[in-house]
Amino acid sequence: MHYEICSAYCSNAEQKQYLTYGIQADGCRIDDISTCRQTVQRLESLLNRNQVLPEHLWDIVDDFLAE
């Protein structure tokens, strides 16, 4: 399993677009984790270093963001 960063544009309530970063691997994708690429890079390293299985991805991302 190899996770990598993905990006997407989102819109806020005022219809202004902004770039967000997420994580993807093998058909699993979570968008809009953070607008800070460095934050998502730390998460990407954690996921790859620990070889996290896709079924645990949501929980790991949730815990990561709660820190």
Side-chain angles (χ1 to χ4, degrees):
M1 177 70 51
H2 179 76
Y3 290 93
E4 56 187 32
I5 294 176
C6 57
S7 61
Y9 282 96
C10 295
S11 297
N12 62 16
E14 292 84 34
Q15 298 301 315
K16 292 185 181 180
Q17 287 195 338
Y18 58 96
L19 182 61
T20 64
Y21 299 95
I23 292 288
Q24 66 182 10
D26 294 342
C28 297
R29 182 176 172 131
I30 301 178
D31 289 313
D32 201 11
I33 293 173
S34 177
T35 58
C36 178
R37 185 176 177 87
Q38 288 179 320
T39 298
V40 180
Q41 284 175 323
R42 287 195 329 268
L43 175 60
E44 175 193 30
S45 294
L46 174 75
L47 294 168
N48 286 322
R49 184 173 55 248
N50 292 291
Q51 300 177 5
V52 173
L53 296 173
E55 57 263 27
H56 301 294
L57 183 58
W58 279 100
D59 291 330
I60 299 296
V61 170
D62 189 42
D63 290 346
F64 180 83
L65 292 174
E67 293 178 354

